[in-house]
């Protein structure tokens, strides 16, 4: 087989056979297909899509590019949550320890930043020493000791997604239902789970902004997961404004610590309780989502969830002193107040630009393998729907010696609007179960 034939077939709108799909995934992982050839095929898939059979085979080939985790020695149920990504979406970092504090294991393989969205791995790695490149034995050990393993795609675990994810990020090939669905579901199938909660974001800061399109993505992912025997439930949640106040890696860790200490922004806590409640139901540990959410709230408010997070940080090589001495986390040398240009009600006309603004400060990548600055970012002093007066500080910009500051200010000015009261989308739009 020749990858150029596959590129031509898909480019012309044809179907790839199962053998061709397996060939592409296997050879790309083996290093026998070049990144530029893979980029051409992924572009063709982005434009032409995959039918149900192609998507099923594509996803299954990604899963079997590595190992599937099994945990015969762990009696607890294993559940996870994965988001399609957003601006300030830090939910997983507070959620996983809260669920583990209720007796359920969370083997979580996450991603790095993708496009304008930040990644859970990058956020966690802003904790000095924290490592996410766990091999299957280290994942098992972490789950056994703490109930949580924050892992990444490695040469053993979904290596196909490791390559395709990075490739899509560097080539802007992100907003595609089959590429997103196969990326997310392959990771989750490799985790050997009993249940999965999918958070499908909608609004201008989401990877798929249109709620109808997002609904289709949710259905596709649920069908894909269930076809492999994995019970999955999806929620559509708002990304028409940043989630919480912090956007930026270490700044978001601080907000997660606040959440785990029982405080932090209301929207973050609401999603942690909701998804946690659903995860406990999937694990058979709660009779209803509401009852499960109450359990999660108790685990947070009694300090048990923060205790689990401290164990997780130590287990994964991080410095647990950061939890109490937050100035041990990376801090940008300068903070610039960004002020309201007029008076009115704050809203976000293009939340995507908030994510791009953090990228401009050095918090994002434009090439495969590039490093990021974990310290830079934004903390919103005002939130969507609040009245602001000209000259009020809307956000603090945490920057490194002015790097990207001008571009960030321009992007922020384009991201927001100040005027009459906006119609805010509900934080939780829908629960999708089929
Ligand atoms: N999260 C993933 O893991 N993959 C995507 O494509 C989008 C969000």
């Amino acid at each position: 087989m020749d990858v150029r034939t596959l590129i031509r077939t898909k480019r012309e709108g044809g179907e790839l056979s199962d053998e061709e799909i397996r060939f592409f995934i296997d050879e790309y992982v083996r290093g026998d297909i070049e990144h530029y050839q893979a980029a051409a095929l992924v572009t063709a898939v982005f434009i032409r899509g995959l039918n149900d059979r192609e998507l099923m085979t594509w996803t299954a080939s990604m899963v079997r590019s590595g190992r599937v985790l099994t945990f015969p020695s762990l009696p607890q149920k294993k559940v996870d949550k994965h988001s399609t990504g957003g601006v300030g979406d830090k939910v997983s970092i507070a959620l996983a320890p809260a669920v583990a504090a209720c007796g359920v294991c969370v083997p979580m393989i996450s991603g790095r930043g993708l496009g304008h969205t930040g990644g859970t791995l990058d956020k966690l790695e802003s904790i000095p020493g924290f490592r996410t490149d766990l091999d299957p034995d280290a994942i098992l050990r972490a789950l056994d000791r703490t109930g949580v393993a924050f892992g990444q795609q490695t040469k053993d675990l979904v290596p196909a997604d490791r390559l395709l994810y990075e490739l899509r990020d560097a080539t802007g090939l992100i907003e595609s239902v089959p590429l997103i669905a196969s990326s997310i579901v392959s990771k989750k199938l490799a985790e050997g789970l009993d249940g999965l909660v999918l958070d499908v974001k909608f609004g201008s800061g989401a990877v798929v902004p249109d709620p109808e399109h997002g609904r289709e993505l949710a259905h596709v992912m649920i069908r894909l997961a269930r076809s492999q025997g994995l019970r999955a439930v999806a929620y559509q949640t708002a990304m028409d404004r940043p989630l919480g106040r912090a956007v930026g890696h270490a700044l978001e860790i601080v907000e997660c610590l606040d959440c785990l200490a029982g405080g932090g922004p209301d929207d973050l806590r609401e999603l942690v309780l909701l998804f946690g409640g659903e995860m406990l139901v999937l694990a058979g540990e709660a009779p209803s989502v509401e009852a499960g959410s109450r359990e999660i709230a108790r685990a947070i408010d009694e300090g048990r969830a923060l205790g689990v997070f401290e164990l997780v940080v130590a287990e994964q090589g991080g410095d647990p002193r950061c939890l109490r001495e937050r100035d041990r986390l990376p801090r940008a040398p300068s903070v610039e107040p960004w002020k309201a240009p007029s008076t009115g009600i704050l809203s976000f006309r293009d939340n995507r630009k908030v994510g791009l603004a953090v990228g401009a400060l050095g918090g994002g990548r434009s090439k495969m393998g590039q490093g990021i600055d974990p310290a830079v970012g934004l903390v919103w002093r005002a939130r969507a729907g609040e009245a602001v007066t000209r000259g009020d500080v809307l956000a603090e910009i945490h920057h490194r010696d002015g790097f990207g500051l001008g571009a960030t200010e321009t992007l922020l000015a384009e991201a927001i609007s100040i005027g009459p009261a906006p119609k805010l989308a509900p934080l939780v739009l829908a629960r999708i179960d089929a």
Side-chain angles (χ1 to χ4, degrees), residues 195-251:
L196 171 64
V197 175
L198 294 160
D199 180 11
V200 180
K201 301 289 187 196
F202 69 92
S204 61
V207 169
V208 176
D210 173 43
E212 271 314 304
H213 200 184
R215 202 174 168 77
E216 180 199 333
L217 173 60
H219 285 301
V220 168
M221 290 196 286
I222 289 173
R223 274 205 312 274
L224 253 185
R226 290 194 181 168
S227 72
Q228 302 304 311
L230 173 58
R231 173 96 210 280
V233 174
Y235 284 87
Q236 285 187 283
T237 71
M239 196 29 77
D240 61 336
R241 65 249 184 199
L243 182 72
R245 292 180 182 273
V247 189
H249 301 89
L251 294 168

Side-chain angles (χ1 to χ4, degrees), residues 82-85 111 114 161 165 168 174 179-181 183-184 187 207:
H82 199 94
S83 157
T84 54
L114 190 62
D161 188 55
Y165 194 96
R168 288 170 56 217
I174 295 163
L179 294 175
I180 298 169
S183 167
I184 291 180
K187 283 194 282 290
V207 169

